[in-house]
Amino acid sequence: MEISIVFALGFISAFIGSIAGGSGLIGVPGLLMLGLPPHIALGTFNFADVGSSIGNIIKFSQYKNLGVKWKDILILTAIAIPAAMIGAKIVVSVDPKILSKLIGVILLVLIPLLFKNKNLGVKSTPAKGAKLIWSHIAFFVARAWGGFFSPGAGLIETYVRIKGYGYTILQGTAVTRVANITSGIGIVLIFASSKMIDYKLGVAMFFGMLTGGNMTLKNWEKLI
């Protein structure tokens, strides 16, 4: 029963998160409710979230005309990997009691954003000059935040991709597909080395997120 619940939790998390971000705002609280300690919940969710990233990279590899350049993909990947690992290194060293309180406060602040994030990017307006540089800085901060505390990171990155870089929602997801999976693996390695992943639940959630993310992207195909 627990495995089925976690699979469903992963499916729902990725189904919503693949559109507008915020999968961690569902997945992590769900794992905490199942009794996982804060560090284990974050590590397990990050392990499972690689499933969503794999689903995205497979799906978007089928499309060639999204207006996304490989140069941009490589730049964002180079930014994402060190930023995410810095954030993950910090969080594994935080005292569990402090982290537990921190999670509660942050979730109370960020969860309302999940329901307000309705104006998704529908028109591409590529950033240039100073705006592009500031967008790179904002992306680094957002990805470092994702490594430190994954819930809410997707929402923050969505705003950076749309408001900063000027991508549409689909372009924003496509351009970070390599960054997501590479930095995600880096985060998982840090949590794994600290023995902060419940692999039994992580595998169930992994396949739930893989399925949910892929199904969401199929519903967005009409916008391509």
Side-chain angles (χ1 to χ4, degrees), residues 4-87:
S4 299
I5 292 173
V6 172
F7 178 90
L9 186 62
F11 180 92
I12 295 170
S13 298
F15 189 84
I16 295 174
S18 292
I19 297 176
S23 58
L25 293 175
I26 299 172
V28 172
L31 292 173
L32 291 171
M33 290 178 65
L34 290 174
L36 269 64
H39 284 103
I40 305 298
L42 289 172
T44 302
F45 174 79
N46 278 293
F47 174 84
D49 196 39
V50 174
S52 180
S53 297
I54 291 175
N56 285 347
I57 203 169
I58 292 174
K59 194 64 184 176
F60 279 105
S61 66
Q62 302 173 20
Y63 303 107
K64 309 297 181 183
N65 299 312
L66 288 174
V68 172
K69 300 177 181 178
W70 267 104
K71 180 185 74 172
D72 296 332
I73 293 174
L74 294 176
I75 289 173
L76 293 186
T77 300
I79 294 172
I81 295 174
M85 295 188 73
I86 288 171

Side-chain angles (χ1 to χ4, degrees), residues 87-101:
K89 276 285 188 181
I90 294 173
V91 76
V92 296
S93 63
V94 175
D95 183 274
K97 294 181 180 178
I98 296 176
L99 183 61
S100 181
K101 294 178 181 178

Side-chain angles (χ1 to χ4, degrees), residues 3 28-29 85 87-88 98 106 115 126 146 168 201 207:
I3 297 298
V28 172
M85 295 188 73
I98 296 176
I106 294 175
F115 302 99
T168 65
L201 298 182
F207 285 106

Side-chain angles (χ1 to χ4, degrees), residues 116-199:
K116 292 182 179 181
N117 191 27
K118 298 177 181 179
N119 296 320
L120 302 175
V122 294
K123 184 178 180 181
S124 176
T125 54
K128 297 179 181 178
K131 184 178 181 181
L132 181 60
I133 294 173
W134 281 110
S135 296
H136 287 331
I137 295 172
F139 182 70
F140 182 94
V141 173
R143 188 46 62 102
W145 174 260
F148 175 77
F149 188 72
S150 44
L155 289 174
I156 297 170
E157 285 191 26
T158 295
Y159 284 117
V160 172
R161 292 192 299 253
I162 293 174
K163 302 296 184 182
Y165 290 109
Y167 292 118
T168 65
I169 183 64
L170 281 172
Q171 288 174 334
T173 303
V175 77
T176 55
R177 64 187 187 271
V178 177
N180 288 342
I181 194 168
T182 52
S183 62
I185 291 173
I187 292 171
V188 168
L189 290 175
I190 291 174
F191 275 98
S193 65
S194 300
K195 302 185 187 306
M196 293 180 176
I197 298 176
D198 185 318
Y199 290 101

